[in-house]
Amino acid sequence: MKLWRKPLDSDEKKPPQGRVHILIERCKGCGFCITYCPKDVLESSPDFNRRGYHPPVVVHPERCVNCGLCTIICAEFAIWTTPVEEPQPQPQT
Amino acid sequence: MITEQETHPLDDLLRVDRIPHIWCPTCGLGIVLNSFLTAVRESGIPREDIVVVSGIGCTGRAAGYVNLDSFHTTHGRALPFATGLKLGNPRLKVVVISGDGDLVAIGGNHLIHTARRNMDMTVVCVNNFNYAMTGGQFGPTTPKGARLTTAPYGSYEHPFNIPFLVDSCGATYVARWTVLHIRQLTESIKEALVHPGFSFIEVISPCPTVYGRRNQLGSGLDIVKYYRDNSIVRNDIDTRECEIEYQGKIIVGRFVQKRKPTYLETMNEYLRQSVGEGFVPYQGPMDDGD
Ligand SMILES: Cc1ncc(C[n+]2csc(CCOP(=O)(O)OP(=O)(O)O)c2C)c(N)n1
Ligand code: SF4
Ligand code: SF4
Ligand code: SF4
């Protein structure tokens, strides 16, 4: 996110971070969580679950701000997040 | 190796043995259920005080998925059933979750009278503009021009504007959201749960399998993208102004929120005056410690 001005407390205050949990076998691959995640944390997996749907995969774990939108928009109760205190390590390349 | 047993935070409010539910992929009904259970959780209302009643239809399955006291009643009869529950035990928070066909077509007569009495309950009416479970007949909410199995050239009837209908009958809380307005919907359900009187929330929800397919609207994801581009939030408006036209703008918001004596308040006050000070208002069985 590009800030048009730097918040005065940005040194002490960090955006909240979340960890994403997915119950792959519950997912019906609707894509709501992927489409509406404001931080583009998720992508559709190329793999199928047992019922033939493509569940989401977490592609940018470090971007999740624990906003909870994916949790509440999932029709299948398949995805939710929990807060993390420490910033997550950047994914290894 | 010990693996962490993962459970969704709403699992204890769900009959998880019945999950996956029958609703189609990208149908909005699961989102409504998620929103309702989130509202229940955040409201802090003890779960033993909440009862969910549904009629028949895809939406009517909701009662079967909640791990709360719940009743799946006959088609169109969710509201009189819920009225009986409320009068039998006034302490209960009675919530009706049902479809537009169930509540406004076959159950329409009950709807106008429950609103007229300002019966203290919350109604979540999921409007997918058709009778989905029975294969997509058109009904009293089908917008003019929409095609369905019994309207192959498009419906030419005048549809109900449901918020105006219940407002004019006496509902004291009226809101409309789409399933994409998920946070507003959850807040509205929370408000409705503590509102004294008849609270009514219409939720516009995609039915990709029947309504969407007949009208070539794409998947539920395509339909909610349409909602996002075409919804206008207007709180406190005159409910005559929120008619829905086929693929037109959708006016959403909290339209009505007012206080008026509920059915039981009116009854108790009337009887206290006509019977005299000896009148003992009925408190319900739970208050005796039963
Ligand atoms: C007395 C009676 N008449 C007709 C039916 C058939 N029926 C089952 S569901 C339904 C319509 C449900 O429509 P709606 O309430 O809009 O729910 P949806 O399936 O769209 O969620 C009908 C007519 C029935 N079960 N009982
Ligand atoms: S909590 Fe918010 S930011 Fe994190 S994955 Fe879900 S929708 Fe995206
Ligand atoms: S919202 Fe739920 S069902 Fe839909 S893709 Fe995401 S995890 Fe799967
Ligand atoms: S038929 Fe329509 S309303 Fe019923 S579950 Fe499928 S998409 Fe949802």
Side-chain angles (χ1 to χ4, degrees):
Chain A
M1 185 172 61
K2 210 166 158 281
L3 296 174
W4 61 276
R5 97 179 152 79
K6 190 169 173 281
L8 296 173
D9 56 0
S10 67
D11 294 335
E12 314 103 77
K13 295 248 163 60
K14 295 217 161 45
Q17 276 243 298
R19 185 163 88 87
V20 185
H21 308 253
I22 302 168
L23 292 176
I24 287 166
E25 295 305 335
R26 272 197 192 175
C27 172
K28 285 189 193 154
C30 71
F32 279 104
C33 59
I34 299 166
T35 308
Y36 292 105
C37 167
K39 298 286 170 189
D40 294 325
V41 171
L42 306 162
E43 259 176 29
S44 182
S45 166
D47 298 328
F48 298 106
N49 65 12
R50 252 180 283 157
R51 288 185 288 145
Y53 297 114
H54 296 283
V57 277
V58 181
V59 284
H60 293 292
E62 75 291 350
R63 288 192 194 162
C64 174
V65 290
N66 199 37
C67 70
L69 189 76
C70 54
T71 312
I72 198 175
I73 211 166
C74 175
E76 305 293 330
F77 306 91
I79 185 168
W80 71 100
T81 58
T82 47
V84 284
E85 299 305 326
E86 292 300 312
Q88 289 181 346
Q90 298 294 312
Q92 303 288 306
T93 42
Chain B
M1 192 178 89
I2 300 167
T3 51
E4 193 186 348
Q5 186 61 45
E6 298 254 276
T7 50
H8 189 278
L10 291 171
D11 271 4
D12 64 320
L13 289 172
L14 274 176
R15 294 190 197 170
V16 279
D17 52 322
R18 302 213 183 161
I19 302 293
H21 49 61
I22 62 155
W23 297 319
C24 310
T26 80
C27 172
L29 285 166
I31 304 180
V32 178
L33 185 64
N34 187 330
S35 175
F36 168 68
L37 293 179
T38 305
V40 166
R41 163 76 21 99
E42 291 177 2
S43 74
I45 298 168
R47 61 196 297 166
E48 57 276 17
D49 288 356
I50 302 181
V51 186
V52 177
V53 182
S54 292
I56 304 294
C58 292
T59 317
R61 308 296 293 213
Y65 296 126
V66 297
N67 194 13
L68 299 162
D69 287 338
S70 64
F71 297 89
H72 194 190
T73 68
T74 44
H75 194 28
R77 300 322 184 245
L79 290 174
F81 189 98
T83 299
L85 272 174
K86 181 70 191 177
L87 298 184
N89 187 348
R91 215 187 83 176
L92 294 176
K93 290 268 173 212
V94 180
V95 183
V96 174
I97 305 178
S98 217
D100 51 304
D102 187 68
L103 289 165
V104 189
I106 186 172
N109 197 14
H110 299 296
L111 177 65
I112 61 180
H113 293 289
T114 319
R116 173 178 65 81
R117 293 171 172 146
N118 197 24
M119 195 54 75
D120 189 8
M121 63 173 68
T122 296
V123 179
V124 178
C125 172
V126 183
N127 183 1
N128 52 22
F129 305 118
N130 79 125
Y131 298 133
M133 179 154 270
T134 43
Q137 296 83 1
F138 78 98
T141 56
T142 305
K144 263 190 216 173
R147 287 164 196 262
L148 281 158
T149 47
T150 48
Y153 302 106
S155 170
Y156 44 79
E157 291 192 5
H158 303 286
F160 272 127
N161 167 356
I162 313 178
F164 175 47
L165 174 71
V166 293
D167 178 18
S168 63
C169 294
T172 47
Y173 183 102
V174 183
R176 175 198 279 153
W177 300 105
T178 78
V179 292
L180 197 62
H181 295 84
I182 186 75
R183 294 206 191 279
Q184 292 99 320
L185 174 62
T186 308
E187 279 309 307
S188 243
I189 299 176
K190 276 202 289 187
E191 279 181 355
L193 285 173
V194 295
H195 174 81
F198 190 74
S199 49
F200 188 97
I201 303 166
E202 178 185 12
V203 190
I204 308 295
S205 175
C207 167
T209 306
V210 192
Y211 186 82
R213 188 167 54 88
R214 289 269 161 198
N215 291 290
Q216 298 178 339
L217 302 176
S219 73
L221 200 55
D222 298 318
I223 299 173
V224 298
K225 279 184 187 146
Y226 176 84
Y227 295 167
R228 187 176 62 176
D229 295 339
N230 291 281
S231 298
I232 307 168
V233 180
R234 287 180 63 198
N235 294 312
D236 305 313
I237 55 152
D238 184 331
T239 49
R240 277 175 288 205
E241 293 169 26
C242 64
E243 274 186 10
I244 294 179
E245 282 171 11
Y246 179 65
Q247 294 301 89
K249 298 285 175 205
I250 305 171
I251 307 233
V252 295
R254 186 184 64 202
F255 304 140
V256 178
Q257 187 178 33
K258 62 185 176 200
R259 185 74 172 96
K260 202 174 89 176
T262 66
Y263 178 85
L264 276 170
E265 285 168 348
T266 311
M267 182 190 87
N268 284 329
E269 181 53 25
Y270 187 85
L271 290 179
R272 197 186 58 73
Q273 284 185 20
S274 55
V275 177
E277 286 305 323
F279 172 70
V280 182
Y282 175 61
Q283 298 290 326
M286 278 179 162
D287 294 290
D288 304 336
D290 288 1

